[in-house]
mmCIF file of all heavy atoms in Angstrom:
data_model
loop_
_atom_site.group_PDB
_atom_site.id
_atom_site.type_symbol
_atom_site.label_atom_id
_atom_site.label_comp_id
_atom_site.label_asym_id
_atom_site.label_seq_id
_atom_site.Cartn_x
_atom_site.Cartn_y
_atom_site.Cartn_z
ATOM 1 N N CYS A 1 0.832 -1.203 0.000
ATOM 2 C CA CYS A 1 0.000 0.000 0.000
ATOM 3 C C CYS A 1 0.863 1.249 0.000
ATOM 4 O O CYS A 1 0.584 2.206 -0.716
ATOM 5 C CB CYS A 1 -0.920 0.009 1.214
ATOM 6 S SG CYS A 1 -2.132 -1.321 1.163
ATOM 7 N N HIS A 2 1.934 1.235 0.797
ATOM 8 C CA HIS A 2 2.817 2.391 0.832
ATOM 9 C C HIS A 2 3.475 2.615 -0.521
ATOM 10 O O HIS A 2 3.617 3.742 -0.979
ATOM 11 C CB HIS A 2 3.906 2.193 1.894
ATOM 12 C CG HIS A 2 3.472 2.627 3.256
ATOM 13 N ND1 HIS A 2 3.446 3.939 3.637
ATOM 14 C CD2 HIS A 2 3.028 1.925 4.325
ATOM 15 C CE1 HIS A 2 3.023 4.025 4.891
ATOM 16 N NE2 HIS A 2 2.749 2.813 5.322
ATOM 17 N N LEU A 3 3.889 1.521 -1.157
ATOM 18 C CA LEU A 3 4.555 1.646 -2.448
ATOM 19 C C LEU A 3 3.624 2.273 -3.475
ATOM 20 O O LEU A 3 4.048 3.068 -4.311
ATOM 21 C CB LEU A 3 5.003 0.266 -2.949
ATOM 22 C CG LEU A 3 6.225 -0.310 -2.252
ATOM 23 C CD1 LEU A 3 6.475 -1.731 -2.711
ATOM 24 C CD2 LEU A 3 7.450 0.539 -2.518
ATOM 25 N N LEU A 4 2.346 1.884 -3.407
ATOM 26 C CA LEU A 4 1.413 2.388 -4.405
ATOM 27 C C LEU A 4 1.174 3.875 -4.219
ATOM 28 O O LEU A 4 0.803 4.559 -5.164
ATOM 29 C CB LEU A 4 0.098 1.619 -4.306
ATOM 30 C CG LEU A 4 0.315 0.156 -4.697
ATOM 31 C CD1 LEU A 4 -0.835 -0.695 -4.234
ATOM 32 C CD2 LEU A 4 0.472 0.040 -6.197
ATOM 33 N N LEU A 5 1.403 4.371 -2.988
ATOM 34 C CA LEU A 5 1.240 5.801 -2.765
ATOM 35 C C LEU A 5 2.494 6.555 -3.198
ATOM 36 O O LEU A 5 2.454 7.751 -3.396
ATOM 37 C CB LEU A 5 0.970 6.069 -1.276
ATOM 38 C CG LEU A 5 -0.318 5.429 -0.755
ATOM 39 C CD1 LEU A 5 -0.423 5.617 0.755
ATOM 40 C CD2 LEU A 5 -1.533 6.030 -1.446
ATOM 41 N N SER A 6 3.618 5.841 -3.326
ATOM 42 C CA SER A 6 4.845 6.508 -3.734
ATOM 43 C C SER A 6 4.761 6.885 -5.199
ATOM 44 O O SER A 6 4.358 6.071 -6.034
ATOM 45 C CB SER A 6 6.051 5.583 -3.530
ATOM 46 O OG SER A 6 6.020 5.020 -2.247
ATOM 47 N N PRO A 7 5.150 8.110 -5.526
ATOM 48 C CA PRO A 7 5.108 8.504 -6.941
ATOM 49 C C PRO A 7 6.106 7.688 -7.748
ATOM 50 O O PRO A 7 7.185 7.362 -7.264
ATOM 51 C CB PRO A 7 5.504 9.983 -6.901
ATOM 52 C CG PRO A 7 6.235 10.162 -5.608
ATOM 53 C CD PRO A 7 5.668 9.150 -4.648
ATOM 54 N N GLY A 8 5.718 7.322 -8.949
ATOM 55 C CA GLY A 8 6.646 6.663 -9.859
ATOM 56 C C GLY A 8 6.814 5.177 -9.651
ATOM 57 O O GLY A 8 7.633 4.559 -10.307
ATOM 58 N N LEU A 9 6.066 4.573 -8.733
ATOM 59 C CA LEU A 9 6.255 3.137 -8.532
ATOM 60 C C LEU A 9 5.145 2.293 -9.139
ATOM 61 O O LEU A 9 5.243 1.073 -9.149
ATOM 62 C CB LEU A 9 6.387 2.815 -7.040
ATOM 63 C CG LEU A 9 7.766 3.150 -6.451
ATOM 64 C CD1 LEU A 9 7.829 2.788 -4.982
ATOM 65 C CD2 LEU A 9 8.872 2.440 -7.210
ATOM 66 N N ALA A 10 4.101 2.919 -9.663
ATOM 67 C CA ALA A 10 3.023 2.129 -10.279
ATOM 68 C C ALA A 10 3.558 1.362 -11.488
ATOM 69 O O ALA A 10 3.251 0.188 -11.680
ATOM 70 C CB ALA A 10 1.873 3.038 -10.685
ATOM 71 N N GLY A 11 4.368 2.016 -12.298
ATOM 72 C CA GLY A 11 4.949 1.365 -13.482
ATOM 73 C C GLY A 11 5.823 0.187 -13.102
ATOM 74 O O GLY A 11 5.639 -0.926 -13.602
ATOM 75 N N PRO A 12 6.825 0.411 -12.214
ATOM 76 C CA PRO A 12 7.671 -0.717 -11.792
ATOM 77 C C PRO A 12 6.881 -1.861 -11.168
ATOM 78 O O PRO A 12 7.229 -3.023 -11.368
ATOM 79 C CB PRO A 12 8.603 -0.068 -10.756
ATOM 80 C CG PRO A 12 8.694 1.354 -11.188
ATOM 81 C CD PRO A 12 7.350 1.694 -11.777
ATOM 82 N N LEU A 13 5.816 -1.546 -10.426
ATOM 83 C CA LEU A 13 5.023 -2.629 -9.839
ATOM 84 C C LEU A 13 4.358 -3.456 -10.930
ATOM 85 O O LEU A 13 4.288 -4.678 -10.845
ATOM 86 C CB LEU A 13 3.962 -2.061 -8.882
ATOM 87 C CG LEU A 13 4.489 -1.632 -7.512
ATOM 88 C CD1 LEU A 13 3.442 -0.852 -6.760
ATOM 89 C CD2 LEU A 13 4.947 -2.840 -6.700
ATOM 90 N N ARG A 14 3.868 -2.772 -11.971
ATOM 91 C CA ARG A 14 3.245 -3.497 -13.070
ATOM 92 C C ARG A 14 4.288 -4.341 -13.796
ATOM 93 O O ARG A 14 4.012 -5.472 -14.207
ATOM 94 C CB ARG A 14 2.589 -2.499 -14.036
ATOM 95 C CG ARG A 14 1.512 -3.127 -14.893
ATOM 96 C CD ARG A 14 0.688 -2.053 -15.577
ATOM 97 N NE ARG A 14 0.095 -1.160 -14.584
ATOM 98 C CZ ARG A 14 -0.181 0.123 -14.812
ATOM 99 N NH1 ARG A 14 0.098 0.668 -15.968
ATOM 100 N NH2 ARG A 14 -0.739 0.860 -13.873
ATOM 101 N N TRP A 15 5.503 -3.782 -13.932
ATOM 102 C CA TRP A 15 6.601 -4.523 -14.565
ATOM 103 C C TRP A 15 6.927 -5.773 -13.753
ATOM 104 O O TRP A 15 7.086 -6.864 -14.306
ATOM 105 C CB TRP A 15 7.812 -3.582 -14.680
ATOM 106 C CG TRP A 15 9.120 -4.271 -14.913
ATOM 107 C CD1 TRP A 15 9.526 -4.906 -16.050
ATOM 108 C CD2 TRP A 15 10.202 -4.395 -13.973
ATOM 109 N NE1 TRP A 15 10.789 -5.423 -15.873
ATOM 110 C CE2 TRP A 15 11.224 -5.118 -14.616
ATOM 111 C CE3 TRP A 15 10.392 -3.952 -12.665
ATOM 112 C CZ2 TRP A 15 12.437 -5.421 -13.977
ATOM 113 C CZ3 TRP A 15 11.593 -4.253 -12.037
ATOM 114 C CH2 TRP A 15 12.598 -4.979 -12.686
ATOM 115 N N LEU A 16 6.991 -5.606 -12.422
ATOM 116 C CA LEU A 16 7.274 -6.741 -11.547
ATOM 117 C C LEU A 16 6.187 -7.806 -11.682
ATOM 118 O O LEU A 16 6.465 -9.006 -11.780
ATOM 119 C CB LEU A 16 7.363 -6.247 -10.097
ATOM 120 C CG LEU A 16 7.537 -7.312 -9.011
ATOM 121 C CD1 LEU A 16 8.824 -8.103 -9.220
ATOM 122 C CD2 LEU A 16 7.534 -6.660 -7.639
ATOM 123 N N GLU A 17 4.940 -7.348 -11.710
ATOM 124 C CA GLU A 17 3.815 -8.268 -11.861
ATOM 125 C C GLU A 17 3.953 -9.066 -13.161
ATOM 126 O O GLU A 17 3.767 -10.287 -13.189
ATOM 127 C CB GLU A 17 2.518 -7.454 -11.870
ATOM 128 C CG GLU A 17 1.253 -8.279 -11.986
ATOM 129 C CD GLU A 17 0.073 -7.399 -12.383
ATOM 130 O OE1 GLU A 17 0.104 -6.181 -12.128
ATOM 131 O OE2 GLU A 17 -0.878 -7.936 -12.974
ATOM 132 N N ASN A 18 4.313 -8.382 -14.252
ATOM 133 C CA ASN A 18 4.481 -9.065 -15.538
ATOM 134 C C ASN A 18 5.627 -10.062 -15.491
ATOM 135 O O ASN A 18 5.532 -11.158 -16.046
ATOM 136 C CB ASN A 18 4.740 -8.041 -16.656
ATOM 137 C CG ASN A 18 3.483 -7.255 -16.987
ATOM 138 O OD1 ASN A 18 2.372 -7.716 -16.773
ATOM 139 N ND2 ASN A 18 3.665 -6.047 -17.497
ATOM 140 N N CYS A 19 6.734 -9.691 -14.833
ATOM 141 C CA CYS A 19 7.863 -10.617 -14.698
ATOM 142 C C CYS A 19 7.431 -11.894 -13.985
ATOM 143 O O CYS A 19 7.791 -13.004 -14.391
ATOM 144 C CB CYS A 19 8.999 -9.955 -13.915
ATOM 145 S SG CYS A 19 9.823 -8.610 -14.784
ATOM 146 N N LEU A 20 6.652 -11.732 -12.916
ATOM 147 C CA LEU A 20 6.211 -12.892 -12.140
ATOM 148 C C LEU A 20 5.310 -13.787 -12.990
ATOM 149 O O LEU A 20 5.441 -15.019 -12.979
ATOM 150 C CB LEU A 20 5.459 -12.429 -10.886
ATOM 151 C CG LEU A 20 6.317 -11.697 -9.836
ATOM 152 C CD1 LEU A 20 5.440 -10.990 -8.817
ATOM 153 C CD2 LEU A 20 7.252 -12.673 -9.132
ATOM 154 N N ARG A 21 4.371 -13.152 -13.734
ATOM 155 C CA ARG A 21 3.467 -13.954 -14.564
ATOM 156 C C ARG A 21 4.226 -14.686 -15.670
ATOM 157 O O ARG A 21 3.947 -15.847 -15.961
ATOM 158 C CB ARG A 21 2.397 -13.050 -15.190
ATOM 159 C CG ARG A 21 1.356 -12.579 -14.201
ATOM 160 C CD ARG A 21 0.207 -11.865 -14.907
ATOM 161 N NE ARG A 21 -0.538 -10.999 -13.993
ATOM 162 C CZ ARG A 21 -1.419 -11.420 -13.107
ATOM 163 N NH1 ARG A 21 -1.676 -12.705 -12.998
ATOM 164 N NH2 ARG A 21 -2.055 -10.566 -12.327
ATOM 165 N N ARG A 22 5.191 -13.988 -16.274
ATOM 166 C CA ARG A 22 5.942 -14.615 -17.360
ATOM 167 C C ARG A 22 6.730 -15.796 -16.823
ATOM 168 O O ARG A 22 6.785 -16.860 -17.449
ATOM 169 C CB ARG A 22 6.878 -13.578 -18.007
ATOM 170 C CG ARG A 22 7.221 -13.918 -19.452
ATOM 171 C CD ARG A 22 7.946 -12.776 -20.142
ATOM 172 N NE ARG A 22 7.169 -11.534 -20.095
ATOM 173 C CZ ARG A 22 7.661 -10.348 -19.713
ATOM 174 N NH1 ARG A 22 8.918 -10.245 -19.316
ATOM 175 N NH2 ARG A 22 6.904 -9.285 -19.719
ATOM 176 N N ALA A 23 7.340 -15.619 -15.645
ATOM 177 C CA ALA A 23 8.104 -16.714 -15.040
ATOM 178 C C ALA A 23 7.179 -17.899 -14.767
ATOM 179 O O ALA A 23 7.555 -19.060 -14.998
ATOM 180 C CB ALA A 23 8.772 -16.239 -13.752
ATOM 181 N N ALA A 24 5.970 -17.619 -14.298
ATOM 182 C CA ALA A 24 5.022 -18.701 -14.013
ATOM 183 C C ALA A 24 4.692 -19.468 -15.293
ATOM 184 O O ALA A 24 4.672 -20.705 -15.312
ATOM 185 C CB ALA A 24 3.753 -18.128 -13.389
ATOM 186 N N GLU A 25 4.450 -18.719 -16.373
ATOM 187 C CA GLU A 25 4.091 -19.389 -17.630
ATOM 188 C C GLU A 25 5.258 -20.226 -18.143
ATOM 189 O O GLU A 25 5.076 -21.364 -18.591
ATOM 190 C CB GLU A 25 3.696 -18.344 -18.684
ATOM 191 C CG GLU A 25 2.290 -17.805 -18.456
ATOM 192 C CD GLU A 25 2.037 -16.492 -19.200
ATOM 193 O OE1 GLU A 25 2.762 -16.203 -20.183
ATOM 194 O OE2 GLU A 25 1.125 -15.751 -18.775
ATOM 195 N N ASP A 26 6.477 -19.671 -18.091
ATOM 196 C CA ASP A 26 7.650 -20.410 -18.564
ATOM 197 C C ASP A 26 7.821 -21.705 -17.781
ATOM 198 O O ASP A 26 8.094 -22.753 -18.347
ATOM 199 C CB ASP A 26 8.914 -19.560 -18.404
ATOM 200 C CG ASP A 26 8.939 -18.407 -19.410
ATOM 201 O OD1 ASP A 26 8.091 -18.423 -20.339
ATOM 202 O OD2 ASP A 26 9.774 -17.502 -19.252
ATOM 203 N N ARG A 27 7.643 -21.617 -16.456
ATOM 204 C CA ARG A 27 7.855 -22.813 -15.633
ATOM 205 C C ARG A 27 6.801 -23.863 -15.913
ATOM 206 O O ARG A 27 7.088 -25.059 -15.849
ATOM 207 C CB ARG A 27 7.854 -22.424 -14.148
ATOM 208 C CG ARG A 27 9.150 -21.753 -13.776
ATOM 209 C CD ARG A 27 9.205 -21.141 -12.410
ATOM 210 N NE ARG A 27 10.408 -20.298 -12.369
ATOM 211 C CZ ARG A 27 10.931 -19.782 -11.273
ATOM 212 N NH1 ARG A 27 10.350 -19.992 -10.106
ATOM 213 N NH2 ARG A 27 12.014 -19.047 -11.323
ATOM 214 N N GLU A 28 5.589 -23.436 -16.222
ATOM 215 C CA GLU A 28 4.547 -24.410 -16.545
ATOM 216 C C GLU A 28 4.849 -25.086 -17.884
ATOM 217 O O GLU A 28 4.695 -26.297 -18.026
ATOM 218 C CB GLU A 28 3.179 -23.718 -16.598
ATOM 219 C CG GLU A 28 2.576 -23.535 -15.217
ATOM 220 C CD GLU A 28 1.252 -22.790 -15.253
ATOM 221 O OE1 GLU A 28 0.948 -22.125 -16.259
ATOM 222 O OE2 GLU A 28 0.518 -22.877 -14.260
ATOM 223 N N GLU A 29 5.276 -24.281 -18.863
ATOM 224 C CA GLU A 29 5.537 -24.850 -20.191
ATOM 225 C C GLU A 29 6.736 -25.784 -20.162
ATOM 226 O O GLU A 29 6.692 -26.900 -20.669
ATOM 227 C CB GLU A 29 5.787 -23.724 -21.203
ATOM 228 C CG GLU A 29 4.504 -23.052 -21.671
ATOM 229 C CD GLU A 29 4.794 -21.812 -22.510
ATOM 230 O OE1 GLU A 29 5.888 -21.739 -23.120
ATOM 231 O OE2 GLU A 29 3.925 -20.922 -22.555
ATOM 232 N N ASP A 30 7.852 -25.308 -19.576
ATOM 233 C CA ASP A 30 9.086 -26.094 -19.627
ATOM 234 C C ASP A 30 9.102 -27.212 -18.607
ATOM 235 O O ASP A 30 9.770 -28.216 -18.791
ATOM 236 C CB ASP A 30 10.306 -25.192 -19.373
ATOM 237 C CG ASP A 30 10.338 -24.013 -20.326
ATOM 238 O OD1 ASP A 30 9.625 -24.081 -21.355
ATOM 239 O OD2 ASP A 30 11.039 -23.037 -20.047
ATOM 240 N N GLY A 31 8.359 -27.030 -17.516
ATOM 241 C CA GLY A 31 8.449 -27.995 -16.432
ATOM 242 C C GLY A 31 9.773 -27.889 -15.701
ATOM 243 O O GLY A 31 10.120 -28.735 -14.887
ATOM 244 N N VAL A 32 10.568 -26.860 -16.026
ATOM 245 C CA VAL A 32 11.869 -26.666 -15.391
ATOM 246 C C VAL A 32 11.901 -25.276 -14.789
ATOM 247 O O VAL A 32 11.361 -24.341 -15.377
ATOM 248 C CB VAL A 32 13.015 -26.784 -16.425
ATOM 249 C CG1 VAL A 32 14.359 -26.665 -15.726
ATOM 250 C CG2 VAL A 32 12.910 -28.085 -17.184
ATOM 251 N N SER A 33 12.511 -25.146 -13.621
ATOM 252 C CA SER A 33 12.597 -23.839 -12.988
ATOM 253 C C SER A 33 14.031 -23.340 -12.972
ATOM 254 O O SER A 33 14.928 -24.029 -12.478
ATOM 255 C CB SER A 33 12.072 -23.909 -11.549
ATOM 256 O OG SER A 33 10.696 -24.215 -11.570
ATOM 257 N N HIS A 34 14.259 -22.194 -13.564
ATOM 258 C CA HIS A 34 15.542 -21.516 -13.446
ATOM 259 C C HIS A 34 15.299 -20.200 -12.718
ATOM 260 O O HIS A 34 14.234 -19.625 -12.856
ATOM 261 C CB HIS A 34 16.132 -21.201 -14.822
ATOM 262 C CG HIS A 34 16.269 -22.398 -15.696
ATOM 263 N ND1 HIS A 34 17.228 -23.364 -15.489
ATOM 264 C CD2 HIS A 34 15.553 -22.797 -16.784
ATOM 265 C CE1 HIS A 34 17.102 -24.299 -16.425
ATOM 266 N NE2 HIS A 34 16.089 -23.986 -17.211
ATOM 267 N N PRO A 35 16.324 -19.731 -11.983
ATOM 268 C CA PRO A 35 16.167 -18.392 -11.420
ATOM 269 C C PRO A 35 16.036 -17.377 -12.551
ATOM 270 O O PRO A 35 16.715 -17.489 -13.572
ATOM 271 C CB PRO A 35 17.477 -18.178 -10.647
ATOM 272 C CG PRO A 35 18.068 -19.542 -10.458
ATOM 273 C CD PRO A 35 17.593 -20.364 -11.619
ATOM 274 N N VAL A 36 15.143 -16.433 -12.388
ATOM 275 C CA VAL A 36 14.921 -15.426 -13.423
ATOM 276 C C VAL A 36 15.399 -14.073 -12.906
ATOM 277 O O VAL A 36 14.866 -13.570 -11.916
ATOM 278 C CB VAL A 36 13.419 -15.323 -13.780
ATOM 279 C CG1 VAL A 36 13.199 -14.269 -14.862
ATOM 280 C CG2 VAL A 36 12.888 -16.675 -14.221
ATOM 281 N N PRO A 37 16.409 -13.482 -13.559
ATOM 282 C CA PRO A 37 16.849 -12.166 -13.093
ATOM 283 C C PRO A 37 15.825 -11.091 -13.416
ATOM 284 O O PRO A 37 15.192 -11.132 -14.470
ATOM 285 C CB PRO A 37 18.152 -11.926 -13.860
ATOM 286 C CG PRO A 37 18.073 -12.822 -15.054
ATOM 287 C CD PRO A 37 17.204 -13.986 -14.679
ATOM 288 N N LEU A 38 15.638 -10.169 -12.495
ATOM 289 C CA LEU A 38 14.772 -9.014 -12.742
ATOM 290 C C LEU A 38 15.645 -7.920 -13.347
ATOM 291 O O LEU A 38 16.398 -7.261 -12.634
ATOM 292 C CB LEU A 38 14.158 -8.511 -11.431
ATOM 293 C CG LEU A 38 13.006 -9.312 -10.836
ATOM 294 C CD1 LEU A 38 12.613 -8.714 -9.489
ATOM 295 C CD2 LEU A 38 11.806 -9.315 -11.772
ATOM 296 N N VAL A 39 15.556 -7.762 -14.642
ATOM 297 C CA VAL A 39 16.418 -6.794 -15.327
ATOM 298 C C VAL A 39 15.609 -5.534 -15.642
ATOM 299 O O VAL A 39 14.755 -5.548 -16.526
ATOM 300 C CB VAL A 39 16.975 -7.396 -16.640
ATOM 301 C CG1 VAL A 39 17.948 -6.425 -17.285
ATOM 302 C CG2 VAL A 39 17.642 -8.738 -16.367
ATOM 303 N N PRO A 40 15.854 -4.452 -14.912
ATOM 304 C CA PRO A 40 15.085 -3.230 -15.174
ATOM 305 C C PRO A 40 15.562 -2.566 -16.459
ATOM 306 O O PRO A 40 16.738 -2.218 -16.579
ATOM 307 C CB PRO A 40 15.393 -2.347 -13.956
ATOM 308 C CG PRO A 40 16.687 -2.851 -13.405
ATOM 309 C CD PRO A 40 16.831 -4.281 -13.826
ATOM 310 N N LEU A 41 14.679 -2.430 -17.427
ATOM 311 C CA LEU A 41 15.079 -1.876 -18.727
ATOM 312 C C LEU A 41 14.777 -0.390 -18.828
ATOM 313 O O LEU A 41 15.174 0.244 -19.794
ATOM 314 C CB LEU A 41 14.362 -2.628 -19.853
ATOM 315 C CG LEU A 41 14.734 -4.113 -19.933
ATOM 316 C CD1 LEU A 41 13.881 -4.834 -20.957
ATOM 317 C CD2 LEU A 41 16.209 -4.287 -20.258
ATOM 318 N N THR A 42 14.055 0.150 -17.857
ATOM 319 C CA THR A 42 13.764 1.585 -17.905
ATOM 320 C C THR A 42 14.350 2.249 -16.666
ATOM 321 O O THR A 42 14.601 1.603 -15.645
ATOM 322 C CB THR A 42 12.244 1.853 -17.920
ATOM 323 O OG1 THR A 42 11.710 1.449 -16.662
ATOM 324 C CG2 THR A 42 11.551 1.088 -19.028
ATOM 325 N N GLU A 43 14.555 3.551 -16.776
ATOM 326 C CA GLU A 43 15.103 4.311 -15.655
ATOM 327 C C GLU A 43 14.185 4.197 -14.441
ATOM 328 O O GLU A 43 14.624 4.063 -13.301
ATOM 329 C CB GLU A 43 15.238 5.772 -16.073
ATOM 330 C CG GLU A 43 16.396 6.493 -15.414
ATOM 331 C CD GLU A 43 16.618 7.860 -16.040
ATOM 332 O OE1 GLU A 43 16.725 7.950 -17.273
ATOM 333 O OE2 GLU A 43 16.630 8.832 -15.270
ATOM 334 N N GLU A 44 12.874 4.244 -14.716
ATOM 335 C CA GLU A 44 11.883 4.155 -13.645
ATOM 336 C C GLU A 44 12.051 2.850 -12.863
ATOM 337 O O GLU A 44 12.046 2.829 -11.643
ATOM 338 C CB GLU A 44 10.482 4.235 -14.275
ATOM 339 C CG GLU A 44 9.372 4.513 -13.285
ATOM 340 C CD GLU A 44 7.990 4.491 -13.932
ATOM 341 O OE1 GLU A 44 7.807 3.767 -14.942
ATOM 342 O OE2 GLU A 44 7.102 5.182 -13.424
ATOM 343 N N ASN A 45 12.219 1.752 -13.620
ATOM 344 C CA ASN A 45 12.380 0.454 -12.963
ATOM 345 C C ASN A 45 13.716 0.374 -12.228
ATOM 346 O O ASN A 45 13.805 -0.235 -11.162
ATOM 347 C CB ASN A 45 12.275 -0.679 -13.989
ATOM 348 C CG ASN A 45 10.871 -0.803 -14.557
ATOM 349 O OD1 ASN A 45 9.929 -0.198 -14.048
ATOM 350 N ND2 ASN A 45 10.719 -1.563 -15.620
ATOM 351 N N GLU A 46 14.766 0.980 -12.809
ATOM 352 C CA GLU A 46 16.059 0.979 -12.131
ATOM 353 C C GLU A 46 15.953 1.712 -10.797
ATOM 354 O O GLU A 46 16.480 1.248 -9.780
ATOM 355 C CB GLU A 46 17.124 1.662 -13.006
ATOM 356 C CG GLU A 46 17.659 0.769 -14.109
ATOM 357 C CD GLU A 46 18.669 1.509 -14.977
ATOM 358 O OE1 GLU A 46 19.422 2.355 -14.432
ATOM 359 O OE2 GLU A 46 18.708 1.250 -16.186
ATOM 360 N N ASP A 47 15.271 2.860 -10.806
ATOM 361 C CA ASP A 47 15.102 3.611 -9.560
ATOM 362 C C ASP A 47 14.376 2.759 -8.526
ATOM 363 O O ASP A 47 14.734 2.735 -7.349
ATOM 364 C CB ASP A 47 14.301 4.895 -9.803
ATOM 365 C CG ASP A 47 15.111 5.910 -10.600
ATOM 366 O OD1 ASP A 47 16.344 5.715 -10.731
ATOM 367 O OD2 ASP A 47 14.516 6.871 -11.111
ATOM 368 N N ALA A 48 13.328 2.064 -8.980
ATOM 369 C CA ALA A 48 12.555 1.240 -8.056
ATOM 370 C C ALA A 48 13.433 0.148 -7.456
ATOM 371 O O ALA A 48 13.326 -0.157 -6.259
ATOM 372 C CB ALA A 48 11.356 0.624 -8.772
#
């Protein structure tokens, strides 16, 4: 809740959410789990 009130974190939170969903889909398809690095591609995500 605090993060959502912080300016500029809505985008990174959505990015994080997408990373988690993509990892879930990959693990279901491959049946294999690898650690997935969170690579921030935008300045906003890097700040977060």
Side-chain angles (χ1 to χ4, degrees):
C1 294
H2 274 281
L3 285 173
L4 294 164
L5 298 174
S6 311
L9 283 181
L13 282 169
R14 201 167 302 151
W15 162 71
L16 175 60
E17 181 196 336
N18 288 335
C19 291
L20 293 166
R21 287 189 201 283
R22 205 170 303 131
E25 283 162 21
D26 289 349
R27 284 171 192 193
E28 278 177 342
E29 282 172 25
D30 306 343
V32 184
S33 295
H34 305 287
V36 180
L38 284 176
V39 184
L41 297 174
T42 67
E43 212 170 309
E44 195 184 29
N45 292 348
E46 281 178 35
D47 290 347

